[in-house]
Amino acid sequence: MVASPPSAPKDLKLSKLEALKQRSHHLREPVATELLQPTNRFSEDGIQILKFHGSYQQDNRDNRIKGQEKDFQFMLRTRSPAGYIPPELYLTLDNIANEYGNGTLRATTRQGFQLHGILKKNLKAAIAAIVRSMGSTLGACGDLNRNVMAPPAPFHNRPEYDIAYDYAHRLADLLTPQTGAYYEIWLDGEKVISAEEHPEVKAARLKNGTGTLIHQNEEPIYGDRYMPRKFKCCVTVPGDNSVDLFSQDLTLVVITNDRGKLQGFNIFAGGGLGRTHNKEETFARMADAIGYVAAADVYDLVKAIVATQRDYGDRQVRRHARLKYLIHDWGVAKFKAKVEAYFGKAIAPFRPLPLFKYQDFLGWHPQGDGKFFYGLAIANGRVQDTKELRLKSLLYKLVSDFNLPLRVTPNQNVLLCDISPDQQAVIQVLLDQYGVIAPEAIDPLERYAMACPALPTCGLAITESERIIPSILGRLRALIDRVGLKHEHFVVRMTGCPNGCARPYLAELGFVGIKPNTYQTWLGGSPDQTRLAEVYMEQLPIDQLEAVLEPLLVFYKDKREVGAKGDRPESFGDFCHRVGFDALRTFTSQYQSKGTKAKGTKGRAKRYRIDIRDDQYQQLKTLAEARGESLAAVTRAAIAAYLDHP
Ligand code: SRM
Ligand code: SF4
């Protein structure tokens, strides 16, 4: 029995940002007016509304000089469902980076591209060029549905992959803002159609729901004030966690029948990673399994979930406004009941799923349609030319010479798609010539690592991230080799603040900037990002990286489960999770590094734990003090004496 349609709570008083959204006239003002003003920046209100158009006002923090005006510039982010970037769009982005930006592009953790360093006077030309090249930045930032993710691999012989890709686009279209503001402001009203919407999406957007639609509104799904906060979705296939599905507000998992025909979707909801240091009421959260929906009803269910968050999400306290807090506060049962009230029927039970695995799709792969794709690694997503690797020039050449579409991966890499067999050899020659190394030759520590941009562009960064991670990974590699784990690797992710943009809370080793040169350290995530890590150390000064990690790695080396021959041994994250942080800390406290071990011992001294009573401990301690010897020496002597005459 489904409850009657909901009546959303009425806000007592609108918060500053809610009032701003309300009077923005569906994202028009004050951006439209301020864009025409001969200034190099927007007002505070302008900055907030500009985000919905896919742009952030930033300044180059390296160039800050006390007392002088900041070096204002803008970041632009594409909205590219499933990471799809048509060739003409890529070439345009490259041109904009050269002409108006800082000369680099950056593949993001949500499968878009970012451009940095654009001046206000060039913003309109840049956005217009993107839209005319089949791209968009609308809704890439702001309080609405963000870029919809999907596994990027174009496996055309595995129907579930094509379905996930298709539905990522449909979901993106369904939840795209309907306001005319974007075209009015950036294209002088010219409505450029980038791709035809699926007719089902058009119909679904306007279908009269039980409270899901706001009638007579330019934004029938969002209304005047859009969402309380950003909203993030993905569509994936059973077993594929390339999208970090547990970190999303809403995840759809494609369910097909034996013949690969779409039946429906499993639904997860309530994931999210953003936190604030020292504010326990903010936390990273894994999405919960909600249920199953038949394909015919999927739009209605998505609209019902969006409407639930739209109407009940916290619009007073932004820090508490994401869907994850609503589900946490209500519990899954109440959340489901509210969603069902909008949906108009009960949500079916969740279908069984295989275990999810992480995949990065690097290197050559058949697409299953006679063509191939090549997954190209991009360190931290930064597309630029260096002495060793002329990545930016290579990508431009490959896309322009062969007209290849790209798919950005959720791990800040790109897949070059639709390569015909006769192009493969010549493309491989170009990859070699420009300095690309085979995926197997990349240190897996680097291959699976991610870092957010942080300094100098991100206004919220507390520490370095993208710029420091290469040296951190180098030090980690040296340490791992030194403790005798030469072929071992694990997932390392780093961010310059607790917002979680490179999803560090799902890594096996996560570094989260907490104060300059100091990182909160997270351990215990799984290699497939299916478990949340936990804080192991509140503040790790980065110069103590080796001292802190060495005992953990040695403990791991000695005590991990090895399994059958040929199997990969237990991973570092799984190990930390299994033994628990108490055991890690105990081992660490008793650990003597090779560098400090007693003279004459070969290798690291072995340590054992023995329980003794409090009074015995006190007796040993008193004796040790009286004799001026160490507690350990006195204890050893006492045990030896007993063993000699038991
Ligand atoms: Fe993020 C804010 C960069 C993915 C959580 N994020 C920012 C801003 C815009 C900083 C700001 O508000 O001034 C960063 C711009 C930095 C710069 O200089 O470019 C920024 N976020 C990024 C990107 C580029 C990181 C990357 O290495 O690729 C990612 C862009 C994705 C995209 O194409 O849309 C990016 N951000 C994420 C993710 C990961 C994800 O979505 O899968 C998260 C964690 C998941 C989540 O949302 O829970 C994330 N970003 C945040 C938050 C915290 C949100 C929260 O709920 O508390 C903020 C701050 C905010 O919104 O107030 C933030
Ligand atoms: Fe900026 Fe923090 Fe996101 Fe890094 S995690 S990009 S520092 S907001």
Side-chain angles (χ1 to χ4, degrees):
M1 177 68 187
V2 170
S4 54
S7 60
K10 297 273 170 285
D11 288 327
L12 301 167
K13 183 174 174 291
L14 291 186
S15 71
K16 204 166 153 249
L17 199 51
E18 288 296 309
L20 174 63
K21 288 190 269 180
Q22 171 110 19
R23 64 172 187 274
S24 74
H25 185 30
H26 293 116
L27 311 181
R28 290 175 172 86
E29 292 299 346
V31 173
T33 302
E34 292 183 9
L35 185 68
L36 302 176
Q37 292 165 353
T39 54
N40 58 355
R41 57 170 299 178
F42 286 84
S43 66
E44 270 314 306
D45 287 358
I47 290 170
Q48 295 306 330
I49 298 300
L50 183 66
K51 292 182 187 177
F52 291 77
H53 295 255
S55 180
Y56 265 71
Q57 181 169 306
Q58 302 182 318
D59 71 289
N60 185 334
R61 293 176 61 180
D62 285 347
N63 296 348
R64 280 188 190 174
I65 301 173
K66 222 173 167 197
Q68 286 189 19
E69 193 185 55
K70 288 178 183 164
D71 178 12
F72 290 113
Q73 53 180 39
F74 292 80
M75 175 269 274
L76 267 183
R77 187 184 285 170
T78 64
R79 192 193 71 124
S80 329
Y84 175 70
I85 305 282
E88 57 273 44
L89 175 58
Y90 184 76
L91 300 179
T92 298
L93 292 173
D94 183 282
N95 288 333
I96 297 171
N98 297 343
E99 201 176 332
Y100 302 133
N102 68 1
T104 73
L105 290 139
R106 197 169 186 286
T108 76
T109 54
R110 287 196 73 78
Q111 302 183 272
F113 271 115
Q114 278 192 179
L115 296 158
H116 290 102
I118 299 172
L119 298 181
K120 180 172 173 242
K121 62 178 184 193
N122 298 323
L123 210 45
K124 183 166 174 171
I127 294 181
I130 288 171
V131 180
R132 293 208 171 93
S133 307
M134 311 268 291
S136 178
T137 63
L138 175 59
C141 316
D143 293 344
L144 34 62
N145 182 45
R146 300 294 190 87
N147 195 35
V148 183
M149 293 168 70
F155 290 136
H156 296 310
N157 53 347
R158 295 174 61 182
E160 65 277 20
Y161 273 86
D162 282 343
I163 294 168
Y165 174 86
D166 180 23
Y167 272 81
H169 282 83
R170 293 187 193 200
L171 220 61
D173 288 344
L174 178 73
L175 300 177
T176 238
Q178 298 300 293
T179 174
Y182 190 67
Y183 295 95
E184 289 161 27
I185 295 174
W186 308 108
L187 288 128
D188 298 319
E190 176 195 348
K191 176 103 186 166
V192 180
I193 303 292
S194 42
E196 239 342 282
E197 275 186 347
H198 195 283
E200 274 178 29
V201 172
K202 261 198 190 112
R205 187 183 299 114
L206 295 172
K207 187 176 159 198
N208 209 348
T210 42
T212 54
L213 286 192
I214 297 173
H215 298 286
Q216 259 92 63
N217 196 297
E218 197 174 345
E219 295 285 6
I221 293 183
Y222 291 127
D224 294 342
R225 289 191 274 132
Y226 293 82
M227 296 296 273
R229 199 74 165 82
K230 57 180 76 165
F231 188 81
K232 297 184 171 178
C233 306
C234 75
V235 188
T236 191
V237 310
D240 187 327
N241 194 25
S242 56
V243 290
D244 262 344
L245 72 101
F246 293 103
S247 69
Q248 315 273 341
D249 291 80
L250 172 62
T251 291
L252 308 186
V253 186
V254 173
I255 305 289
T256 53
N257 65 13
D258 296 347
R259 282 163 288 117
K261 199 169 166 339
L262 176 65
Q263 302 295 291
F265 300 87
N266 264 355
I267 307 288
F268 289 88
L273 302 182
R275 307 165 41 244
T276 307
H277 286 309
N278 304 319
K279 295 223 178 296
E280 293 303 313
E281 68 276 20
T282 66
F283 44 83
R285 186 177 193 277
M286 303 277 279
D288 292 296
I290 301 295
Y292 168 86
V293 63
D297 290 338
V298 67
Y299 306 108
D300 287 347
L301 186 66
V302 168
K303 277 165 61 189
I305 291 174
V306 168
T308 306
Q309 161 67 355
R310 177 195 68 203
D311 294 346
Y312 294 96
D314 191 338
R315 288 186 185 261
Q316 299 294 323
V317 184
R318 275 183 78 71
R319 203 174 268 143
H320 183 251
R322 293 287 294 269
L323 179 66
K324 66 179 174 182
Y325 296 116
L326 191 64
I327 297 186
H328 172 81
D329 294 349
W330 278 358
V332 171
K334 178 170 173 189
F335 172 72
K336 252 171 96 165
K338 290 278 182 195
V339 171
E340 284 172 343
Y342 283 101
F343 185 40
K345 51 176 131 171
I347 298 172
F350 200 74
R351 301 266 174 107
L353 288 175
L355 288 180
F356 281 96
K357 296 264 168 226
Y358 175 75
Q359 322 190 39
D360 69 2
F361 309 112
L362 293 190
W364 287 106
H365 298 267
Q367 292 187 171
D369 60 353
K371 293 186 174 176
F372 292 84
F373 71 86
Y374 184 85
L376 184 59
I378 307 178
N380 304 307
R382 185 67 66 180
V383 181
Q384 60 188 346
D385 283 356
T386 62
K387 220 162 80 212
E388 300 77 31
L389 173 61
R390 286 182 297 134
L391 188 65
K392 184 158 173 292
S393 305
L394 170 69
L395 270 173
Y396 192 87
K397 180 159 183 63
L398 290 176
V399 174
S400 57
D401 286 6
F402 300 94
N403 200 34
L404 302 179
L406 301 181
R407 293 200 192 176
V408 182
T409 78
N411 204 24
Q412 305 168 319
N413 300 316
V414 292
L415 311 184
L416 290 148
C417 303
D418 294 350
I419 300 173
S420 58
D422 59 321
Q423 294 170 334
Q424 239 191 319
V426 57
I427 288 180
Q428 184 58 57
V429 169
L430 286 168
L431 293 170
D432 296 340
Q433 267 175 8
Y434 281 72
V436 174
I437 55 172
E440 310 75 55
I442 305 172
D443 181 347
L445 206 56
E446 281 175 31
R447 173 170 175 174
Y448 298 110
M450 293 205 288
C452 72
L455 294 165
T457 50
C458 178
L460 305 178
I462 306 167
T463 59
E464 293 283 355
S465 181
E466 180 185 335
R467 296 196 293 198
I468 203 179
I469 201 170
S471 71
I472 300 295
L473 295 176
R475 286 166 64 186
L476 272 175
R477 171 49 64 209
L479 178 64
I480 293 172
D481 291 356
R482 180 154 61 77
V483 301
L485 286 165
K486 211 162 181 81
H487 299 291
E488 207 33 79
H489 65 90
F490 38 84
V491 176
V492 183
R493 293 177 173 180
M494 176 178 261
T495 56
C497 87
N499 281 319
C501 299
R503 301 188 286 267
Y505 310 120
L506 290 159
E508 296 183 271
L509 174 57
F511 294 112
V512 178
I514 188 161
K515 64 182 199 192
N517 302 314
T518 306
Y519 295 80
Q520 194 179 55
T521 305
W522 291 63
L523 292 179
S526 79
D528 293 308
Q529 287 83 63
T530 49
R531 183 178 58 233
L532 215 51
E534 290 173 67
V535 183
Y536 175 70
M537 202 167 164
E538 272 299 332
Q539 298 196 4
L540 166 63
I542 207 61
D543 56 0
Q544 289 172 27
L545 180 81
E546 288 82 357
V548 168
L549 291 182
E550 180 180 321
L552 301 179
L553 290 171
V554 168
F555 190 23
Y556 165 61
K557 183 185 153 210
D558 291 351
K559 299 287 180 211
R560 64 187 167 162
E561 285 172 352
V562 179
K565 204 162 177 243
D567 283 358
R568 200 185 153 196
E570 182 179 31
S571 76
F572 180 60
D574 286 348
F575 169 79
C576 294
H577 177 70
R578 178 174 61 79
V579 300
F581 285 10
D582 284 349
L584 297 179
R585 291 194 175 108
T586 304
F587 184 87
T588 297
S589 67
Q590 296 171 350
Y591 177 76
Q592 255 190 330
S593 160
K594 271 187 182 175
T596 58
K597 71 183 186 297
K599 229 177 143 194
T601 50
K602 195 163 182 288
R604 192 176 39 80
K606 261 205 166 150
R607 303 240 150 200
Y608 302 96
R609 291 179 66 194
I610 300 174
D611 268 345
I612 52 173
R613 291 196 317 261
D614 273 348
D615 57 331
Q616 292 171 330
Y617 175 80
Q618 286 309 332
Q619 271 179 292
L620 286 166
K621 207 170 152 217
T622 312
L623 193 60
E625 279 164 8
R627 288 190 182 176
E629 289 177 15
S630 74
L631 183 61
V634 170
T635 310
R636 274 197 295 269
I639 294 173
Y642 173 77
L643 291 175
D644 284 344
H645 307 282

Short mmCIF file of all heavy atoms in Angstrom, two decimals, residues 194-219:
data_model
loop_
_atom_site.label_atom_id
_atom_site.label_comp_id
_atom_site.label_asym_id
_atom_site.label_seq_id
_atom_site.Cartn_x
_atom_site.Cartn_y
_atom_site.Cartn_z
N SER A 194 22.22 20.11 -29.91
CA SER A 194 23.43 19.28 -30.01
C SER A 194 23.07 17.86 -30.42
O SER A 194 23.73 17.25 -31.23
CB SER A 194 24.21 19.31 -28.71
OG SER A 194 23.35 19.21 -27.62
N ALA A 195 22.04 17.28 -29.88
CA ALA A 195 21.61 15.94 -30.27
C ALA A 195 20.14 15.81 -29.92
O ALA A 195 19.68 16.38 -28.94
CB ALA A 195 22.43 14.90 -29.53
N GLU A 196 19.42 15.07 -30.75
CA GLU A 196 17.98 14.90 -30.53
C GLU A 196 17.74 14.13 -29.24
O GLU A 196 18.38 13.12 -28.99
CB GLU A 196 17.40 14.09 -31.70
CG GLU A 196 16.31 14.71 -32.54
CD GLU A 196 15.55 15.91 -31.98
OE1 GLU A 196 14.66 15.69 -31.14
OE2 GLU A 196 15.82 17.06 -32.39
N GLU A 197 16.81 14.61 -28.44
CA GLU A 197 16.44 13.85 -27.24
C GLU A 197 15.63 12.64 -27.65
O GLU A 197 14.87 12.69 -28.63
CB GLU A 197 15.51 14.72 -26.38
CG GLU A 197 16.22 15.63 -25.46
CD GLU A 197 15.23 16.34 -24.53
OE1 GLU A 197 14.00 16.29 -24.76
OE2 GLU A 197 15.71 16.94 -23.60
N HIS A 198 15.72 11.59 -26.87
CA HIS A 198 14.88 10.42 -27.12
C HIS A 198 13.43 10.82 -26.86
O HIS A 198 13.14 11.48 -25.85
CB HIS A 198 15.31 9.28 -26.20
CG HIS A 198 14.76 7.96 -26.62
ND1 HIS A 198 13.45 7.59 -26.40
CD2 HIS A 198 15.33 6.94 -27.29
CE1 HIS A 198 13.25 6.38 -26.91
NE2 HIS A 198 14.38 5.97 -27.45
N PRO A 199 12.50 10.41 -27.75
CA PRO A 199 11.09 10.82 -27.56
C PRO A 199 10.54 10.42 -26.20
O PRO A 199 9.73 11.14 -25.61
CB PRO A 199 10.34 10.10 -28.68
CG PRO A 199 11.37 9.52 -29.60
CD PRO A 199 12.71 9.64 -28.95
N GLU A 200 11.00 9.27 -25.69
CA GLU A 200 10.51 8.83 -24.36
C GLU A 200 10.88 9.85 -23.28
O GLU A 200 10.14 10.05 -22.33
CB GLU A 200 11.18 7.50 -23.98
CG GLU A 200 10.47 6.28 -24.50
CD GLU A 200 11.23 5.00 -24.12
OE1 GLU A 200 11.90 4.97 -23.08
OE2 GLU A 200 11.14 4.06 -24.89
N VAL A 201 12.05 10.46 -23.46
CA VAL A 201 12.52 11.42 -22.46
C VAL A 201 11.64 12.66 -22.50
O VAL A 201 11.21 13.18 -21.46
CB VAL A 201 14.00 11.79 -22.70
CG1 VAL A 201 14.45 12.91 -21.80
CG2 VAL A 201 14.88 10.57 -22.53
N LYS A 202 11.36 13.12 -23.72
CA LYS A 202 10.52 14.32 -23.88
C LYS A 202 9.18 14.10 -23.19
O LYS A 202 8.70 14.95 -22.43
CB LYS A 202 10.26 14.55 -25.38
CG LYS A 202 11.16 15.57 -25.97
CD LYS A 202 10.56 16.05 -27.30
CE LYS A 202 11.58 16.89 -27.99
NZ LYS A 202 12.14 16.36 -29.20
N ALA A 203 8.59 12.92 -23.48
CA ALA A 203 7.27 12.63 -22.91
C ALA A 203 7.38 12.52 -21.39
O ALA A 203 6.54 13.04 -20.65
CB ALA A 203 6.73 11.34 -23.50
N ALA A 204 8.44 11.85 -20.93
CA ALA A 204 8.57 11.59 -19.48
C ALA A 204 8.72 12.89 -18.70
O ALA A 204 8.23 13.02 -17.59
CB ALA A 204 9.77 10.70 -19.21
N ARG A 205 9.40 13.86 -19.30
CA ARG A 205 9.66 15.10 -18.57
C ARG A 205 8.35 15.80 -18.20
O ARG A 205 8.22 16.39 -17.13
CB ARG A 205 10.55 16.03 -19.39
CG ARG A 205 10.98 17.25 -18.58
CD ARG A 205 11.81 18.24 -19.35
NE ARG A 205 13.05 17.68 -19.82
CZ ARG A 205 13.37 17.51 -21.10
NH1 ARG A 205 12.50 17.83 -22.04
NH2 ARG A 205 14.52 17.01 -21.45
N LEU A 206 7.39 15.69 -19.12
CA LEU A 206 6.15 16.42 -18.88
C LEU A 206 5.02 15.54 -18.36
O LEU A 206 3.92 16.01 -18.12
CB LEU A 206 5.71 17.11 -20.18
CG LEU A 206 6.70 18.20 -20.62
CD1 LEU A 206 6.36 18.72 -21.99
CD2 LEU A 206 6.73 19.33 -19.60
N LYS A 207 5.32 14.25 -18.21
CA LYS A 207 4.26 13.35 -17.74
C LYS A 207 3.81 13.75 -16.34
O LYS A 207 4.62 13.95 -15.45
CB LYS A 207 4.79 11.91 -17.73
CG LYS A 207 3.74 10.90 -17.42
CD LYS A 207 4.31 9.51 -17.51
CE LYS A 207 3.42 8.56 -16.72
NZ LYS A 207 4.10 7.32 -16.41
N ASN A 208 2.47 13.84 -16.21
CA ASN A 208 1.91 14.29 -14.95
C ASN A 208 2.17 13.25 -13.86
O ASN A 208 1.66 12.16 -13.91
CB ASN A 208 0.41 14.47 -15.14
CG ASN A 208 -0.10 15.54 -14.21
OD1 ASN A 208 0.63 15.96 -13.30
ND2 ASN A 208 -1.31 15.96 -14.44
N GLY A 209 2.97 13.56 -12.93
CA GLY A 209 3.25 12.60 -11.86
C GLY A 209 2.45 12.94 -10.63
O GLY A 209 1.70 13.91 -10.61
N THR A 210 2.61 12.12 -9.60
CA THR A 210 1.93 12.42 -8.34
C THR A 210 2.82 13.36 -7.53
O THR A 210 3.51 12.94 -6.61
CB THR A 210 1.68 11.12 -7.55
OG1 THR A 210 2.86 10.33 -7.66
CG2 THR A 210 0.49 10.37 -8.07
N GLY A 211 2.85 14.58 -7.93
CA GLY A 211 3.63 15.57 -7.18
C GLY A 211 5.05 15.73 -7.68
O GLY A 211 5.82 16.51 -7.14
N THR A 212 5.44 14.98 -8.73
CA THR A 212 6.82 15.10 -9.19
C THR A 212 7.02 16.36 -10.03
O THR A 212 8.12 16.87 -10.13
CB THR A 212 7.27 13.88 -10.03
OG1 THR A 212 6.34 13.70 -11.09
CG2 THR A 212 7.34 12.63 -9.19
N LEU A 213 5.95 16.84 -10.66
CA LEU A 213 6.10 17.99 -11.55
C LEU A 213 5.64 19.28 -10.88
O LEU A 213 4.71 19.29 -10.09
CB LEU A 213 5.27 17.80 -12.81
CG LEU A 213 5.80 16.79 -13.83
CD1 LEU A 213 5.03 16.95 -15.13
CD2 LEU A 213 7.28 16.95 -14.08
N ILE A 214 6.33 20.35 -11.27
CA ILE A 214 5.89 21.67 -10.82
C ILE A 214 5.25 22.31 -12.04
O ILE A 214 5.94 22.63 -13.01
CB ILE A 214 7.08 22.47 -10.28
CG1 ILE A 214 7.63 21.71 -9.05
CG2 ILE A 214 6.69 23.89 -9.94
CD1 ILE A 214 8.88 22.24 -8.49
N HIS A 215 3.96 22.41 -12.00
CA HIS A 215 3.23 22.83 -13.20
C HIS A 215 3.40 24.32 -13.48
O HIS A 215 3.71 25.09 -12.59
CB HIS A 215 1.76 22.46 -13.06
CG HIS A 215 1.58 20.98 -12.93
ND1 HIS A 215 1.72 20.11 -13.98
CD2 HIS A 215 1.33 20.21 -11.85
CE1 HIS A 215 1.56 18.87 -13.56
NE2 HIS A 215 1.32 18.91 -12.27
N GLN A 216 3.20 24.66 -14.77
CA GLN A 216 3.32 26.06 -15.19
C GLN A 216 4.65 26.67 -14.77
O GLN A 216 4.72 27.81 -14.32
CB GLN A 216 2.20 26.92 -14.57
CG GLN A 216 1.07 27.21 -15.50
CD GLN A 216 -0.01 26.16 -15.37
OE1 GLN A 216 -0.59 26.04 -14.32
NE2 GLN A 216 -0.28 25.42 -16.44
N ASN A 217 5.68 25.89 -14.89
CA ASN A 217 7.00 26.41 -14.53
C ASN A 217 7.96 26.13 -15.67
O ASN A 217 7.89 25.07 -16.29
CB ASN A 217 7.50 25.73 -13.23
CG ASN A 217 8.64 26.48 -12.60
OD1 ASN A 217 9.70 26.63 -13.18
ND2 ASN A 217 8.40 27.00 -11.40
N GLU A 218 8.86 27.07 -15.93
CA GLU A 218 9.85 26.87 -16.99
C GLU A 218 10.69 25.62 -16.68
O GLU A 218 11.25 25.00 -17.57
CB GLU A 218 10.75 28.12 -17.08
CG GLU A 218 11.52 28.21 -18.37
CD GLU A 218 12.31 29.53 -18.50
OE1 GLU A 218 12.03 30.48 -17.74
OE2 GLU A 218 13.19 29.60 -19.36
N GLU A 219 10.77 25.30 -15.41
CA GLU A 219 11.52 24.12 -14.98
C GLU A 219 10.56 23.14 -14.32
O GLU A 219 10.40 23.12 -13.10
CB GLU A 219 12.61 24.50 -13.97
CG GLU A 219 13.70 25.39 -14.49
CD GLU A 219 14.70 24.65 -15.39
OE1 GLU A 219 14.48 23.46 -15.72
OE2 GLU A 219 15.69 25.29 -15.77
#
